[in-house]
Amino acid sequence: MDKIAVLIPCYNEEKTVEKVVRDFRQVLPEAVIYVYDNNSSDRTVELAEKAGAVVRHEYLQGKGNVIRRMFREIDAEVYIMTDGDDTYPAEFAREMVDKVLHHQSDMVVGDRLSSTYFTENKRPFHNFGNSLVRGTINKLFHTEIKDIMTGYRAFSYQFVKTFPVLSKGFEIETEMTIHAADKNMQVDNVVIEYRDRPEGSESKLNTYSDGAKVLMSIAKLYRNYKPMHFFGIMALLLTIISAGFFCPVLAEYVATGLVPKFPTLIVCGFTLMAAIQSVFAGLILAAGAQRSRQEFEMHLMQVDIRYKELKKDE
């Protein structure tokens, strides 16, 4: 088992990957640095090997697929995940590692939004999107995580080996954050400086399509992790709609004793039935979610045992 593993997912990052590997080797000389190439068509692999990284490959395209491969293959006491585009300075890695090793952190978030992100980043919709996602998740899941979409994080062995990677693309950071919040894992923030990509280096993130995927991912995860809240909101909306259309019908019946809009009354009845079904769906799924959390705690205990065994074998 490695003491520290630095994980760098890469896709066509020949402009910066060599510098990123060397920077992290300087700050964390005891770490093993892994570059996982995701079908690059440039010199990413060659330059990463030249800089001293262990290069491996993931042939399914997408950042989520790369991280899934990393987490399955590597055992370490602490993991540092960063991007290969040189936007995250390596000098903050030591503080993040120490929080995992000495402060029992399960995930440490490299917080860009509290420092230079809004001035360095030249894409205004990214700024808006990051703020929107942060506010939405912190509100829905009652967390105080400062940067949801950052690619600069540190993880404990327990987090990595119990995190089910389901996302294939850039939604992965959102999935990590919500998983940590739902499973009551310790999350700490470390304020980092952010610098925009150097000239000639292009982002693989599409502002609109990937942003829409992230928002859809939040909705799906909220439904899965907090089903009673999700379906309770649906039931409330359906009840309000039903009541809104039913009130004029009721008022006319009280005044005249007639129901001329009988189809509206039928629709109101079916809408109210859908609201009641939503409540019961939420109750059933909430019981399943509770059982899933109990099973997770048992699995976490098994991972702790394996971690101690690996430590003894060092």
Side-chain angles (χ1 to χ4, degrees), residues 241-242 245 261-274:
I241 292 171
S242 177
F245 283 99
K261 298 179 180 179
F262 206 79
T264 302
L265 183 62
I266 295 173
V267 171
C268 290
F270 278 109
T271 304
L272 188 59
M273 288 174 60

Side-chain angles (χ1 to χ4, degrees), residues 4-16:
I4 303 171
V6 178
L7 311 180
I8 309 175
C10 281
Y11 173 61
N12 288 343
E13 298 289 5
E14 66 176 4
K15 299 282 185 183
T16 53

Side-chain angles (χ1 to χ4, degrees), residues 224-271:
N224 294 340
Y225 285 134
K226 294 186 177 293
M228 192 62 246
H229 292 178
F230 181 86
F231 286 98
I233 292 171
M234 286 189 61
L236 178 61
L237 291 175
L238 290 170
T239 301
I240 291 172
I241 292 171
S242 177
F245 283 99
F246 176 70
C247 286
V249 176
L250 178 62
E252 191 164 358
Y253 174 75
V254 170
T256 65
L258 300 174
V259 184
K261 298 179 180 179
F262 206 79
T264 302
L265 183 62
I266 295 173
V267 171
C268 290
F270 278 109
T271 304

Side-chain angles (χ1 to χ4, degrees), residues 117-118 121 123-131 203 205-207:
Y117 182 79
F118 293 109
N121 183 46
R123 294 156 292 185
F125 283 106
H126 283 209
N127 295 341
F128 170 76
N130 272 281
S131 298
S203 173
L205 180 65
N206 183 291
T207 303

Side-chain angles (χ1 to χ4, degrees), residues 18-72:
E18 189 174 6
K19 179 179 183 299
V20 171
V21 172
R22 288 178 174 167
D23 286 350
F24 277 90
R25 286 187 66 190
Q26 182 177 2
V27 173
L28 300 170
E30 72 273 37
V32 180
I33 300 178
Y34 297 90
V35 169
Y36 272 69
D37 177 64
N38 196 205
N39 302 313
S40 295
S41 57
D42 60 6
R43 298 173 63 219
T44 295
V45 170
E46 175 190 343
L47 295 174
E49 290 176 339
K50 178 182 175 182
V54 177
V55 176
R56 295 181 180 177
H57 300 271
E58 171 53 53
Y59 299 105
L60 288 175
Q61 197 67 37
K63 187 175 183 180
N65 290 323
V66 179
I67 291 172
R68 178 170 175 261
R69 177 70 61 183
M70 290 174 164
F71 285 4
R72 285 169 58 188

Side-chain angles (χ1 to χ4, degrees), residues 77-97:
E77 289 187 46
V78 57
Y79 302 75
I80 287 283
M81 184 182 77
T82 188
D83 290 343
D85 56 11
D86 195 32
T87 55
Y88 301 117
E91 53 263 30
F92 298 95
R94 178 63 66 185
E95 181 182 357
M96 296 169 72
V97 165

Side-chain angles (χ1 to χ4, degrees), residues 99-264:
K99 283 192 175 293
V100 175
L101 291 178
H102 307 302
H103 196 253
Q104 299 180 347
S105 297
D106 290 299
M107 182 171 70
V108 182
V109 173
D111 174 17
R112 311 160 297 168
L113 304 187
S114 298
S115 61
T116 56
Y117 182 79
F118 293 109
T119 55
E120 283 288 321
N121 183 46
K122 304 301 188 297
R123 294 156 292 185
F125 283 106
H126 283 209
N127 295 341
F128 170 76
N130 272 281
S131 298
L132 175 64
V133 170
R134 177 179 62 177
T136 301
I137 289 181
N138 284 335
K139 183 71 173 177
L140 292 178
F141 292 90
H142 308 291
T143 61
E144 295 182 359
I145 298 173
K146 303 299 183 183
D147 191 346
I148 305 298
M149 301 297 295
T150 180
Y152 197 11
R153 298 172 187 246
F155 307 104
S156 67
Y157 177 87
Q158 288 80 2
F159 180 93
V160 166
K161 297 306 180 181
T162 60
F163 172 54
V165 181
L166 301 179
S167 299
K168 298 178 181 179
F170 286 101
E171 316 95 278
I172 185 67
E173 284 92 357
T174 303
E175 188 178 342
M176 288 176 175
T177 303
I178 294 175
H179 172 77
D182 180 72
K183 297 302 185 291
N184 197 32
M185 290 188 156
Q186 182 174 326
V187 180
D188 288 306
N189 301 282
V190 169
V191 177
I192 65 168
E193 293 181 1
Y194 174 86
R195 52 194 177 219
D196 206 8
R197 281 175 171 266
E199 187 175 353
S201 175
E202 296 182 0
S203 173
K204 316 305 183 299
L205 180 65
N206 183 291
T207 303
Y208 303 104
S209 63
D210 287 313
K213 289 178 183 178
V214 168
L215 294 176
M216 287 297 296
S217 178
I218 293 173
K220 290 177 182 177
L221 291 170
Y222 187 64
R223 179 197 64 195
N224 294 340
Y225 285 134
K226 294 186 177 293
M228 192 62 246
H229 292 178
F230 181 86
F231 286 98
I233 292 171
M234 286 189 61
L236 178 61
L237 291 175
L238 290 170
T239 301
I240 291 172
I241 292 171
S242 177
F245 283 99
F246 176 70
C247 286
V249 176
L250 178 62
E252 191 164 358
Y253 174 75
V254 170
T256 65
L258 300 174
V259 184
K261 298 179 180 179
F262 206 79
T264 302

